[in-house]
Amino acid sequence: MNPIRYGMIGGGRGAFIGGVHRTAAAIAGNWQLVAGALSSTPDKARASGEDIGLPANRNYSSWSEMFEREISLPVNERIEAVAIVTPNHMHAPPAIAAMEAGFDVILDKPLAATMADAIAIAETADRTGRLIAITHTYAAYPMVKLARDMIVGGKVGAVRRVAVKYTQDWLAHISDAGENKQAQWRMDPVQAGPAGAFGDIGTHAANLVEFITGERIASICAELTMLPGRVIDDDGAALFRLSGGGRGTLIASQVCVGDMNDLAIAIYCDDAGLHWRQEDPNRLTVKRRARPDEIWHAGADRTYLPVGLSALQRTPGGHPEGYLEAFANIYRAFGQHIRGAAQAGEAGYATLADALAGMAFIDACVASSERGAVWVDVDPGEGALR
């Protein structure tokens, strides 16, 4: 297929996730970066574009300039999609403008800083018919997809209990914010939204639960906390109930000293327990009562894996694939959808419905914690708490 011509918004000098998106798109092989507005500061935007080799005539000082100039180009030259890699509060304006201009959108989670902005994005997508993908990366790992196949496919029985944790330590000390650009906006409710750690990584944990089980988190009881002097959560824990009747626990923290990026999940079903850890992503352990443990390994040559999973892997077993390749799986799948070449089955990326569920999760956790850790329904359909 012809590569998707795309422009990037954000992701310039000092940014982390912009480079990840560009690398993932290159690995996917069906995307081509042709334009960008890489910073909200015009001079920095142009300098950042020069850094990565954007052509001068398509290295823009703002996303509004990019849209205005790109739609004036011939259809077979202009961008077809945009990747938005800005702080949360700057997701909605360019996403809405991009769809209005006729471009599809891929953007980081959460969908927006507020539910109102998220609903505005969703309404624009519905009205314009444009496609949106959200980069919940961890659901794109092959072994995570295998776990989903086992559970949703009815191979291990109904879900009884889930235990998921996502713990980091990069904000474990007050001084860690300092001059750290990535920390500063994530700890500012105006830019990040109402939740800190639960909005940043708690949403990943929640999405992983929902993706693997094929169920939604229906209600939650959460306690969010923070170190003295901070105004937004950096730590928290929650109990939750799944739509299918199962129960679970979720921990999301950025102040757990010694943990780098420890996302781990265990799903206990009628007939087996499934265990996966992001820091050892190429193995899925399946445990059964009074039987030896099963260890499933990733790898393009693992013939025992379902055909769809083999197609997502690029190297033989024993050659680790990880975060960037999982990210690339999202770009690959979204590119296929844009081109109308997607296969039947799950989308291969987090959809708008998944993203709205993530926004409802954030609002429910904040509301529960503010009310003293009471049970609150999660309502992605109405966009408000019942």
Side-chain angles (χ1 to χ4, degrees), residues 22-348:
R22 294 190 290 269
T23 301
I27 293 173
N30 57 353
W31 291 75
Q32 180 183 9
L33 180 66
V34 298
L38 304 185
S39 174
S40 58
T41 304
D43 289 344
K44 184 177 178 181
R46 292 192 178 278
S48 298
E50 292 172 1
D51 289 346
I52 64 171
L54 284 179
N57 64 334
R58 300 180 82 173
N59 181 16
Y60 301 109
S61 59
S62 68
W63 55 264
S64 57
E65 180 192 15
M66 180 169 72
F67 294 158
E68 181 180 357
R69 294 274 300 277
E70 288 294 318
I71 60 177
S72 70
L73 296 175
V75 173
N76 62 346
E77 294 180 17
R78 70 180 63 155
I79 60 173
E80 301 169 89
V82 295
I84 299 175
V85 293
T86 59
N88 302 344
H89 74 299
M90 282 305 299
H91 284 185
I96 290 170
M99 290 184 285
E100 297 281 9
F103 307 130
D104 297 315
V105 175
I106 183 167
L107 75 167
D108 277 327
K109 56 76 219 160
L111 182 59
T114 67
M115 182 61 84
D117 280 350
I119 291 173
I121 292 173
E123 290 176 345
T124 305
D126 182 64
R127 176 168 45 81
T128 62
R130 304 318 309 180
L131 299 174
I132 293 184
I134 313 300
T135 54
H136 275 295
T137 316
Y138 305 105
Y141 279 92
M143 293 296 98
V144 169
K145 291 181 180 290
L146 178 61
R148 174 184 168 88
D149 178 73
M150 290 180 176
I151 293 174
V152 176
K155 300 173 184 177
V156 290
V159 175
R160 293 181 175 179
R161 175 158 294 279
V162 179
V164 63
K165 57 163 282 189
Y166 197 159
T167 51
Q168 303 170 332
D169 72 352
W170 70 294
L171 294 176
H173 304 293
I174 293 296
S175 60
D176 287 331
E179 300 300 318
N180 186 331
K181 174 183 175 182
Q182 302 306 317
Q184 289 174 350
W185 77 257
R186 284 176 170 83
M187 298 171 66
D188 177 5
V190 174
Q191 297 183 76
F198 260 60
D200 191 27
I201 59 177
T203 49
H204 273 312
N207 176 261
L208 196 63
V209 170
E210 295 191 334
F211 178 77
I212 293 177
T213 65
E215 302 177 18
R216 292 294 186 199
I217 294 175
S219 58
I220 200 154
C221 174
E223 181 185 46
L224 311 185
T225 63
M226 66 199 78
L227 293 181
R230 290 183 176 165
V231 296
I232 195 168
D233 64 282
D234 50 31
D235 177 80
L239 303 173
F240 63 84
R241 298 167 181 154
L242 290 169
S243 56
R247 302 291 195 268
T249 58
L250 186 153
I251 296 171
S253 177
Q254 293 170 323
V255 298
C256 286
V257 176
D259 282 9
M260 292 183 292
N261 201 66
D262 196 7
L263 171 60
I265 188 167
I267 311 99
Y268 299 95
C269 302
D270 290 340
D271 302 319
L274 283 65
H275 303 260
W276 181 82
R277 188 173 230 109
Q278 191 273 152
E279 292 185 357
D280 184 17
N282 296 310
R283 292 196 301 175
L284 173 70
T285 301
V286 180
K287 299 184 177 185
R288 304 177 191 270
R289 183 177 180 182
R291 288 175 54 181
D293 293 351
E294 303 169 14
I295 300 179
W296 296 69
H297 293 273
D301 60 346
R302 302 298 90 179
T303 56
Y304 53 71
L305 296 176
V307 173
L309 296 188
S310 298
L312 292 175
Q313 297 170 92
R314 298 161 182 82
T315 59
H319 294 76
E321 293 190 30
Y323 181 70
L324 292 172
E325 290 84 0
F327 222 111
N329 288 339
I330 295 172
Y331 265 90
R332 178 181 175 182
F334 190 47
Q336 290 171 335
H337 270 254
I338 291 174
R339 285 284 182 260
Q343 302 297 313
E346 58 106 355

